[in-house]
Amino acid sequence: MENFSTPREILAKLVSFPTVSCDTNLPLVEWVETYLDSYGIRSQRIMSPCGTKAHLYAQTGPDDDGGVILSGHTDVVPVDGQAWTTDPWTLTERDGKLYGRGSCDMKGFDALALFAMARASALPIKRPLQLALSFDEEVGCVAVVDLVETMLGALPRAREVIVGEPTMMKVVTGHKGGLGYHVHVRGHEVHSSLLPYGVSAIMQAAKLIDWANQRNVENAAQAPSELAAPFVPPFTTLHVGEIEGGTAHNITAKDCRFFIEFRFVPGESPEDWASLFEAKAAELSAEMQKIHPDTGFDLKRGFALPALAPETDGPAETLARRLTGDNGQHVVSYGTEGSQFQVRGYSTVICGPGDIAQAHQPDEFLALEQLAAGEAFVDRLLDSLCA
């Protein structure tokens, strides 16, 4: 294959694959396999149930416990409807920035991870370096569970995991968890003049959404816990961003659909929030069914992502701080795949090049200085693995 000897060259190739979450990532995975193989590194796929996507993992160095995992996702969000001034699938340099979909979130780090693997293969590293590339991060951070659990059984257990989401190369040690539900409210149609004899799916949906509003008010009024205090905002939030339903202004709505998400702070359980939410939906369903038996709430879990909690004397944090020189305390309110590693026993931090403000935006970019900072990080990591 062509010689892709710098992170920038690798990034340009990765950006050229339009790996939107709803589409395949297999051409990218095949290219990565070939790239790693050219350095004598074997890799393994884990196919998705639909057969159109794959995770990939690999290892170089000694076959021992105690290595480092570099973790990234291969999928990106769509560009449809966005006003790009460059081709989103061609890496374009302008004014010290590299434009392209995924350049920041997070193919920049993926390129650095592949570069690190290639360089490590020729060095006398004393601890293994492992690579984890996932699919479907952008739709819930759930698919990666298969990747994490497979690596646990197939490779020596690593000591540190570095998830390279864009943090401006700062060491992030905590993030909120997430929980989502697709909600379908089944009503009973009558003319609106006969309102008491029908069930409006929209008006019942409003009751459940108002329950969410009340939880937000209560959460905001409480003194934040020690784990919650660093976050902005320092409490769990419930949010409905889309809703649809109804047939006409004078008919009680037969159907209403919306999606609700919970962004919960470390120390709180997604299952506790799920139980509260499901209990309220069941209570409202019982009231509706007193009027008509075929009404009620249908709930479908969309995703459930654990929170990432700061670790006491965590090896991953210690390593990342030594490599970056960053001693600040950083947490983020968005979720990452890092918590899926942490809850399975890995010490995990989030640290990668780029600004999260660029993620998902038209003309997404990665600053050249951030790519350079990431390359310096890789150099120091490889030195530490050789020490």
Side-chain angles (χ1 to χ4, degrees), residues 205-279:
K207 293 181 181 180
L208 191 54
I209 295 171
D210 188 57
W211 175 86
N213 287 331
Q214 294 304 313
R215 301 294 79 70
N216 284 332
V217 171
E218 292 173 3
N219 291 347
Q222 294 176 357
S225 67
E226 183 178 350
L227 285 174
F231 288 88
V232 179
F235 53 86
T236 294
T237 57
L238 289 67
H239 174 251
V240 175
E242 292 180 311
I243 187 169
E244 62 177 13
T247 303
H249 75 277
N250 59 353
I251 302 175
T252 56
K254 181 179 180 180
D255 294 286
C256 182
R257 291 178 170 84
F258 63 90
F259 188 87
I260 185 168
E261 66 171 19
F262 300 70
R263 300 280 181 173
F264 58 89
V265 294
E268 295 185 3
S269 163
E271 295 310 315
D272 288 346
W273 279 108
S275 295
L276 289 172
F277 180 68
E278 292 175 9

Side-chain angles (χ1 to χ4, degrees), residues 67-122:
V68 176
I69 295 175
L70 300 178
S71 170
H73 62 81
T74 62
D75 58 320
V76 297
V77 297
V79 299
D80 302 338
Q82 293 188 332
W84 282 74
T85 61
T86 65
D87 178 357
W89 311 117
T90 301
L91 193 69
T92 304
E93 180 180 348
R94 189 174 68 214
D95 300 326
K97 301 170 182 175
L98 298 172
Y99 291 87
R101 173 55 88 221
S103 57
C104 176
D105 184 18
M106 59 179 298
K107 290 180 177 179
F109 180 81
D110 294 346
L112 290 165
L114 289 168
F115 175 72
M117 292 289 290
R119 284 199 54 205
S121 68

Side-chain angles (χ1 to χ4, degrees), residues 51-199:
T52 64
K53 304 175 186 179
H55 304 300
L56 179 142
Y57 67 93
Q59 175 178 297
T60 188
D63 202 32
D64 298 328
D65 289 345
V68 176
I69 295 175
L70 300 178
S71 170
H73 62 81
T74 62
D75 58 320
V76 297
V77 297
V79 299
D80 302 338
Q82 293 188 332
W84 282 74
T85 61
T86 65
D87 178 357
W89 311 117
T90 301
L91 193 69
T92 304
E93 180 180 348
R94 189 174 68 214
D95 300 326
K97 301 170 182 175
L98 298 172
Y99 291 87
R101 173 55 88 221
S103 57
C104 176
D105 184 18
M106 59 179 298
K107 290 180 177 179
F109 180 81
D110 294 346
L112 290 165
L114 289 168
F115 175 72
M117 292 289 290
R119 284 199 54 205
S121 68
L123 294 173
I125 60 174
K126 295 181 173 59
R127 293 200 288 146
L129 184 63
Q130 297 175 0
L131 175 70
L133 296 179
S134 68
F135 64 82
D136 280 3
E137 187 274 348
E138 297 290 4
V139 292
C141 300
V142 175
V144 73
V145 170
D146 286 343
L147 175 59
V148 179
E149 293 185 347
T150 299
M151 291 178 71
L152 275 169
L155 297 178
R157 187 182 185 95
R159 188 170 69 189
E160 301 104 347
V161 178
I162 299 170
V163 179
E165 291 284 0
T167 68
M168 298 293 285
M169 298 307 301
K170 302 297 184 183
V171 181
V172 170
T173 58
H175 67 63
K176 288 188 177 182
L179 176 68
Y181 279 93
H182 298 276
V183 182
H184 176 205
V185 191
R186 294 175 286 107
H188 176 62
E189 289 181 313
V190 298
H191 193 279
S192 59
S193 64
L194 300 173
L195 179 64
Y197 309 105
V199 178

Side-chain angles (χ1 to χ4, degrees), residues 17 40 103 109 151-152 223 241 311 316 339 361 363 386:
F17 295 104
S103 57
F109 180 81
M151 291 178 71
L152 275 169
E311 302 168 8
S339 59
Q361 299 300 307
D363 285 349
C386 290

Side-chain angles (χ1 to χ4, degrees), residues 255-330:
D255 294 286
C256 182
R257 291 178 170 84
F258 63 90
F259 188 87
I260 185 168
E261 66 171 19
F262 300 70
R263 300 280 181 173
F264 58 89
V265 294
E268 295 185 3
S269 163
E271 295 310 315
D272 288 346
W273 279 108
S275 295
L276 289 172
F277 180 68
E278 292 175 9
K280 184 61 181 180
E283 174 190 321
L284 293 173
S285 291
E287 294 176 2
M288 296 162 66
Q289 287 162 8
K290 292 176 182 177
I291 300 172
H292 197 281
D294 295 331
T295 61
F297 283 80
D298 296 328
L299 308 179
K300 180 181 178 183
R301 184 79 65 93
F303 63 88
L305 178 68
L308 180 75
E311 302 168 8
T312 302
D313 299 322
E317 179 182 349
T318 300
L319 173 64
R321 292 197 185 284
R322 187 168 73 245
L323 299 180
T324 62
D326 174 34
N327 290 315
Q329 299 298 318
H330 310 288

